[in-house]
Amino acid sequence: MNQNTLTRRYFLQKTSMATSALFGLSVLQPRRAHALGSFVRKDVGKLSASDTTLTSYAAAVAAMRQLDTTDPTNPLGWQYQAAIHGTKSPSITAEEQATWNACEHYTVFFLSWHRMYLYYFERIIRKMSGDANWALPFWNYQSTSERTLPSAFWTPADASNPLYIFDRNPGWNDGSASLWDSAVSTAMPFGDIDFGSFYYQLEYNMHDTVHTAVGGLMGYHLTAAQDPIFFLHHSNVDRLWNSWLTLKNGRQDPFSDASWTTAPFTFFDENKKQVTITGCEILRAQDQLGYVYEGEPAQVKEYCLNRRIRVPYYAYIPWYEVWPGPIELPAVFETKTIEVNTQPLRAHLRNSPLARMKAGSSVVLKLSQVEADHQPNIYYEVYLGIPKGETPKFESPFYVGNLALFGGGIRDIDEQMKSHERRLPKTAQGDRLLSFTYKITGALQAATKAAGSLKDLDVAFVPRGALLKGRPDERHPTATIKIGRAEIGLQRLE
Ligand code: C2O
């Protein structure tokens, strides 16, 4: 797909979004009739190798790969389905142009788009496997017993197993690699009340790290959905979205934001029919899409509001640049520590004292223009203000989140740059590369308490990839990460 088509498609999509927002919900066709079942998406770790959930999945993947060769423009083909998420191949037919490279990352549609994608994918697997009761399982890596790749995906580790993919980082295909606690912790996203902050933390701090750790096809958004484990990873992310809502206390989806609820997204159903679906139609997984997750509490029922309400948004007020010029996290497995100039910070904090921060406001560390030439295949835990000599622990108040490259910022594929171009909002500063925002109010408070003042402050990037046989896998990252700019500022819900 050339740049023109991309831009044009993006424009068309934006236009249709605006149009439907203008006319309210009435322009949308009545919901397609489909038989709702109550499908249970099961925890893959509890399934035996002979469970039909796994055998039917494998059979469907094999059948879909057949279509790749016998009928390459068939939307039920494996590569075709993966291309809806992302692909390096040029899209040729009108259908391909309308549906490929559509994954939503760094946007408020991250959760809703992937829910839609999984929903149609699940229906397709049901059809292609001939297993009418099939439901997509989830990779429950929140459980400490499920930190390795589910065994059906590497047993046997050869081409006779449709769920096996050669192209994964070392250790995943023999059961020796596992995920660190910090890669899968939900403490930060679940602590967030605001949807924007929640999806952001879930995407950046947890979802991206799993992609990075497993690596190979999973390490790039343009290839990730070619690995059958992708769908179990996202099934779990989708489950966590439900779980977050059940924590209540003001947690809710943006169901009063017409730009979120009415934006149409295009997929194919199991009959190869092109379909569009909106945020309003996927709010209640059980009622609207017919599935629940094994072991989940009763789903929260939300309904779209058919009127416009002002939706709060995050305003970011930059305070100062933390260190001059770009820094690099070189391709060696080492902690990188950088000293923060705290003088301007102390001056700002006299006006906005930490103790009087309002809910929804936080001092933030913003790393921008982040990029690497390749997928580094590791991620970093980011800390602020660890007292000298203390070992970094992600449960400590000094931990502010992770740095993992997945949906963008990786330069080694031309097409990747194009979709990068298309996906990343251009800021006033023309900043089109990846940026990461870490809330640091808690870390600053802890650092002040530990040291008695805020004079010396370090940011530490601690490398993490996977564990190999329970010990840190200290292989060097496969790329240097460049961080163009680091600022401290204030983030405020307005
Ligand atoms: Cu759109 Cu986990 O990827």
Side-chain angles (χ1 to χ4, degrees):
M1 189 189 292
N2 65 34
Q3 191 54 49
N4 268 342
T5 359
L6 270 171
T7 317
R8 189 164 159 272
R9 231 188 85 198
Y10 189 51
F11 172 72
L12 287 176
Q13 186 182 339
K14 287 285 174 216
T15 314
S16 64
M17 268 167 62
T19 313
S20 51
L22 203 65
F23 294 104
L25 296 173
S26 56
V27 293
L28 299 170
Q29 324 86 337
R31 200 61 248 127
R32 72 221 159 274
H34 59 78
L36 276 187
S38 42
F39 295 101
V40 181
R41 293 186 176 179
K42 293 183 183 147
D43 181 341
V44 71
K46 297 186 180 147
L47 303 176
S48 73
S50 60
D51 193 288
T52 51
T53 305
L54 293 165
T55 55
S56 296
Y57 188 28
V61 174
M64 291 165 78
R65 289 217 180 98
Q66 271 295 317
L67 292 179
D68 290 344
T69 36
T70 57
D71 190 3
T73 59
N74 189 326
L76 307 190
W78 183 255
Q79 291 296 334
Y80 199 113
Q81 278 297 306
I84 292 177
H85 187 265
T87 181
K88 298 182 211 166
S89 309
S91 53
I92 295 162
T93 67
E95 287 80 14
E96 289 167 1
Q97 289 184 4
T99 54
W100 284 13
N101 280 313
C103 69
E104 291 285 338
H105 290 268
Y106 322 116
T107 77
V108 76
F109 300 110
F110 169 68
L111 291 169
S112 53
W113 186 88
H114 286 85
R115 173 170 288 182
M116 298 164 184
Y117 181 47
L118 259 54
Y119 170 67
Y120 287 109
F121 175 81
E122 187 178 53
R123 289 170 54 153
I124 289 169
I125 297 290
R126 229 169 259 152
K127 163 141 185 189
M128 295 300 286
S129 64
D131 179 349
N133 296 315
W134 193 81
L136 183 61
F138 60 95
W139 182 10
N140 182 16
Y141 36 65
Q142 267 71 43
S143 155
T144 50
S145 63
E146 292 188 46
R147 295 286 165 80
T148 57
L149 194 70
S151 62
F153 291 75
W154 51 273
T155 316
D158 60 45
S160 70
N161 178 1
L163 304 179
Y164 164 75
I165 292 286
F166 169 78
D167 195 4
R168 293 171 181 146
N169 281 344
W172 294 101
N173 280 332
D174 59 20
S176 62
S178 61
L179 295 161
W180 286 84
D181 289 341
S182 66
V184 297
S185 168
T186 53
M188 284 188 155
F190 280 13
D192 281 314
I193 304 294
D194 173 71
F195 179 80
S197 194
F198 163 67
Y199 93 76
Y200 184 88
Q201 304 260 15
L202 195 71
E203 180 178 2
Y204 281 65
N205 278 334
M206 199 214 75
H207 157 268
D208 286 3
T209 53
V210 174
H211 276 285
T212 305
V214 174
L217 295 178
M218 276 283 276
Y220 292 90
H221 72 283
L222 297 182
T223 53
Q226 291 175 30
D227 188 333
I229 195 62
F230 171 94
F231 297 93
L232 279 74
H233 172 34
H234 273 276
S235 182
N236 191 51
V237 170
D238 187 65
R239 178 181 74 95
L240 295 172
W241 180 13
N242 286 347
S243 313
W244 173 74
L245 280 174
T246 63
L247 299 175
K248 305 238 164 83
N249 255 325
R251 289 172 179 80
Q252 59 181 40
D253 293 325
F255 53 77
S256 58
D257 177 355
S259 64
W260 188 83
T261 55
T262 65
F265 293 99
T266 307
F267 299 90
F268 289 94
D269 71 10
E270 69 280 18
N271 300 314
K272 304 190 269 187
K273 198 170 144 282
Q274 207 169 303
V275 285
T276 60
I277 186 165
T278 66
C280 263
E281 297 168 293
I282 54 98
L283 277 173
R284 301 177 304 283
Q286 184 171 13
D287 289 1
Q288 296 174 298
L289 308 174
Y291 69 86
V292 294
Y293 286 98
E294 178 183 6
E296 76 175 346
Q299 291 175 7
V300 173
K301 290 184 197 269
E302 291 181 334
Y303 299 86
C304 276
L305 289 180
N306 198 2
R307 64 193 148 100
R308 305 270 226 137
I309 286 188
R310 190 186 164 278
V311 182
Y313 68 99
Y314 279 107
Y316 167 66
I317 301 119
W319 281 353
Y320 71 107
E321 204 169 342
V322 179
W323 53 73
I327 60 143
E328 288 190 344
L329 307 178
V332 287
F333 196 89
E334 259 168 27
T335 295
K336 171 109 180 180
T337 309
I338 296 160
E339 207 181 306
V340 172
N341 168 16
T342 57
Q343 221 183 333
L345 176 62
R346 280 177 279 141
H348 279 288
L349 290 179
R350 274 194 286 277
N351 299 329
S352 317
L354 293 172
R356 281 198 260 124
M357 285 281 146
K358 290 208 207 77
S361 293
S362 186
V363 183
V364 293
L365 170 68
K366 186 176 174 198
L367 307 178
S368 48
Q369 300 160 9
V370 181
E371 61 177 331
D373 287 340
H374 317 281
Q375 168 57 265
N377 284 311
I378 72 162
Y379 70 96
Y380 292 82
E381 290 170 1
V382 185
Y383 292 85
L384 184 78
I386 306 182
K388 300 264 175 275
E390 210 173 277
T391 323
K393 284 209 193 70
F394 92 97
E395 302 91 337
S396 79
F398 307 106
Y399 168 73
V400 296
N402 297 330
L403 174 67
L405 262 53
F406 170 66
I410 304 172
R411 305 195 79 122
D412 66 349
I413 303 172
D414 266 355
E415 280 83 356
Q416 182 133 6
M417 282 309 290
K418 286 179 197 155
S419 73
H420 189 116
E421 222 23 74
R422 175 181 155 220
R423 283 292 154 200
L424 292 180
K426 216 190 223 172
T427 67
Q429 295 79 38
D431 170 10
R432 267 181 276 107
L433 302 178
L434 207 44
S435 65
F436 295 83
T437 304
Y438 303 95
K439 295 183 189 172
I440 58 169
T441 303
L444 288 174
Q445 278 166 328
T448 315
K449 207 164 146 204
S453 75
L454 262 187
K455 282 218 173 59
D456 302 312
L457 208 57
D458 283 343
V459 175
F461 296 92
V462 181
R464 300 286 189 227
L467 293 154
L468 271 188
K469 301 206 173 91
R471 317 177 129 252
D473 173 6
E474 298 190 348
R475 258 170 315 107
H476 295 316
T478 41
T480 293
I481 297 181
K482 202 174 107 204
I483 302 171
R485 193 181 163 87
E487 290 170 351
I488 285 183
L490 187 70
Q491 182 176 273
R492 209 163 55 195
L493 208 51
E494 314 213 301

